[in-house]
Amino acid sequence: MMPPLNLVTQLLHVLAAGLLMISFSMLAQRRTRRLIVLLAWQGVVLTASTLLVAVTAHLQHLYYSAALTLIEKVWLMPWILLRLMRRLGIEGDSDPLVNIPTLMLVGLGLVIFAFGLAQPISSLATTVTRQTLGIAMAVILLAFLMMIARHKAVTQVIGFLAMENGLFFAATSTTYGMPMVVELGIALDLLVGVFIFGIFFFQIREQFDSLDLHQLEALKED
């Protein structure tokens, strides 16, 4: 028996709010390992929301999409990143370039901007998740802000993956997801990208003994 539409909508709003709160937590988080854990929790929320939409809209390809999200975003990507951290010996804090309160205020401004930007688009959508498009765009902008505000290469990769999570949620919000072939292609591209990033990290660490972008820029100026 399918749950009532109002209940489904409320649950989706709760999951969307959870995704937004995780994004704010990532923005304020200093520990790289905890950033990876929060990234995995984003994957959990995306899996739950995709499953809920699949049950409501009776779309079989979304079940496969949810399974792919569970494997890739909840298990595989975090595992690869944690393994990279161990191999590279990255255990310290990753302080942002500006203080946390200022960063949170900028993030709040981006959320307001995202909701204003999504308003006309949401009115044209016909999906049950159309009201969450603003949150999806806010997640993308917050991830972009995290990439700008960090000076460690690994945390910028985490920000890139968080941005992709926001894009995935936006696609689910407006069009009930992308075709399965496209999703598989994106998943493969992400995996290849993370492996390439890992190779670059090892090469940079061997050459310069640091993954801090500020130190690398100083070497460039010298």
Side-chain angles (χ1 to χ4, degrees), residues 93-179:
D93 295 345
S94 177
D95 292 323
L97 299 178
V98 296
N99 59 67
I100 297 297
T102 303
L103 205 58
M104 299 298 280
L105 285 175
V106 175
L108 185 59
L110 288 177
V111 171
I112 296 171
F113 173 75
F115 273 90
L117 191 64
Q119 183 91 28
I121 305 173
S122 299
S123 62
L124 298 175
T126 58
T127 62
V128 296
T129 54
R130 61 186 179 274
Q131 299 300 328
T132 62
L133 178 60
I135 292 180
M137 296 183 71
V139 169
I140 295 170
L141 292 177
L142 290 174
F144 187 66
L145 177 62
M146 188 178 78
M147 291 177 66
I148 295 173
R150 305 285 172 156
H151 54 84
K152 291 288 182 67
V154 175
T155 53
Q156 292 195 346
V157 171
I158 295 171
F160 171 76
L161 294 174
M163 187 184 297
E164 194 275 332
N165 287 342
L167 289 170
F168 179 86
F169 193 65
T172 307
S173 300
T174 53
T175 62
Y176 284 144
M178 296 170 285

Side-chain angles (χ1 to χ4, degrees), residues 152 201 204-216 219:
K152 291 288 182 67
F201 290 162
I204 292 171
R205 189 61 178 264
E206 283 185 10
Q207 293 293 325
F208 305 111
D209 197 32
S210 175
L211 290 175
D212 192 316
L213 297 182
H214 280 178
Q215 295 185 26
L216 297 178
L219 288 171

Side-chain angles (χ1 to χ4, degrees), residues 1-214:
M1 181 179 177
M2 190 182 72
L5 188 58
N6 288 338
L7 178 60
V8 170
T9 304
Q10 290 176 3
L11 287 174
L12 286 171
H13 286 171
V14 169
L15 290 172
L19 192 66
L20 184 62
M21 294 303 295
I22 292 172
S23 296
F24 269 108
S25 298
M26 294 177 76
L27 201 60
Q29 185 57 246
R30 288 187 172 91
R31 302 288 293 179
T32 305
R33 185 177 295 274
R34 290 179 184 173
L35 277 174
I36 297 174
V37 173
L38 288 171
L39 184 71
W41 274 109
Q42 275 194 341
V44 172
V45 173
L46 288 174
T47 301
S49 63
T50 305
L51 276 175
L52 201 55
V53 173
V55 171
T56 306
H58 304 290
L59 295 173
Q60 187 175 5
H61 76 275
L62 286 180
Y63 290 105
Y64 300 121
S65 179
L68 182 64
T69 302
L70 180 66
I71 294 170
E72 183 189 22
K73 298 180 185 297
V74 179
W75 174 70
L76 189 57
M77 287 294 186
W79 179 78
I80 292 173
L81 290 171
L82 288 171
R83 187 173 175 83
L84 276 174
M85 280 187 60
R86 285 194 295 269
R87 294 289 298 275
L88 292 168
I90 304 171
E91 295 293 340
D93 295 345
S94 177
D95 292 323
L97 299 178
V98 296
N99 59 67
I100 297 297
T102 303
L103 205 58
M104 299 298 280
L105 285 175
V106 175
L108 185 59
L110 288 177
V111 171
I112 296 171
F113 173 75
F115 273 90
L117 191 64
Q119 183 91 28
I121 305 173
S122 299
S123 62
L124 298 175
T126 58
T127 62
V128 296
T129 54
R130 61 186 179 274
Q131 299 300 328
T132 62
L133 178 60
I135 292 180
M137 296 183 71
V139 169
I140 295 170
L141 292 177
L142 290 174
F144 187 66
L145 177 62
M146 188 178 78
M147 291 177 66
I148 295 173
R150 305 285 172 156
H151 54 84
K152 291 288 182 67
V154 175
T155 53
Q156 292 195 346
V157 171
I158 295 171
F160 171 76
L161 294 174
M163 187 184 297
E164 194 275 332
N165 287 342
L167 289 170
F168 179 86
F169 193 65
T172 307
S173 300
T174 53
T175 62
Y176 284 144
M178 296 170 285
M180 198 62 201
V181 174
V182 177
E183 291 191 16
L184 286 171
I186 292 174
L188 181 61
D189 288 344
L190 281 175
L191 281 176
V192 172
V194 170
F195 278 119
I196 292 173
F197 277 131
I199 293 170
F200 280 143
F201 290 162
F202 279 111
Q203 292 295 325
I204 292 171
R205 189 61 178 264
E206 283 185 10
Q207 293 293 325
F208 305 111
D209 197 32
S210 175
L211 290 175
D212 192 316
L213 297 182
H214 280 178

